[in-house]
Amino acid sequence: MTAASIFILFMPLSAKESTQKPTVAASTFSLYDISKYIAGESAEVFMILPFGVDAHSYELTPKEMIKINKSALVLYNGAGLEPWIKGFSFKNRAVDMSKHVELRELESDHEHNHKDTHNSHHNIDPHYWQDPLNMIKAAEHIAKELAELFPKNRDLYMKNRDSYIDMLKKLDADYKKSLSSCKLDTIIVNHDAFSYLAHRYGFHVEALSGLSPEAEPSAKNMMKIIEHVKEHKVGTLFFESFASDRAIKSIAKEAKVKVDMLQPLGNITADEAKANLSYEDIMRKNLQKISQTLECK
């Protein structure tokens, strides 16, 4: 084989490699949704968690570690949500997004569950994406990170950032309007991923198992929830796709009320991904269910 033929054989591979898009890795669905929207076609954005997997307990495979390490930018939730992040050595730029939003401390009666799941961050609630105002802060910072890495696309990122933030502001306004006048003030869930949402829009959350979806609720807590449901005539109890619904269905049967799914958005199901549902789509579905359950006008 001549030197010329060797050059011809290898030239297509080099051309392909030179046109490959940079990759951006996001650990949760909310960060993935922001990044995909702002980056547009300028980068390949992928979610580290496979669709349909619980964010709290997932463990990375060696293949996934390699893909993450090759990414130009890694965005992770932080605040203790991803146990696998501890000890992970990133090759390129990695950003703990919890440092760029407003965090809330846990209610004291939930701390014991959170300690087991999130270790050193046991006093912080990591579900900050449930507050659209935190999503605005995240969108601003992600756009900044992308513009610094790929300055030639800066105008695209700023335009897409502004459009995404406009959507979040409208979402915030609709939540405020829909939940401004309600007969009831408490939703019942199996796992408390909604304290940011409740704090922002003025309702309360009663959770069977605190912040750890794997934790088993105590008999005392189950009885407390049953009494609350009966006393306040709560019509619906909520469960999630990634946590056992056995306890919540048991309470619903005892109290003779309905059950429905509320999506906490740490991840989404494979069916939701197939339907191409966005953060906004799912937040609006949640709003409809919460508003109906709280009997809002």
Side-chain angles (χ1 to χ4, degrees), residues 29 44 52 69 82 87 89 105 115 128 168 190 221 228 241:
F29 178 73
E44 177 200 341
N69 234 0
E82 306 99 338
S89 179
E105 291 190 0
K115 284 179 184 177
Y128 55 77
L168 291 169
N190 62 329
N221 200 30
H228 178 94
S241 302

Side-chain angles (χ1 to χ4, degrees), residues 113 190 208-210 212-217:
N113 286 323
N190 62 329
L208 284 181
S209 58
S212 173
E214 299 93 355
E216 286 293 326

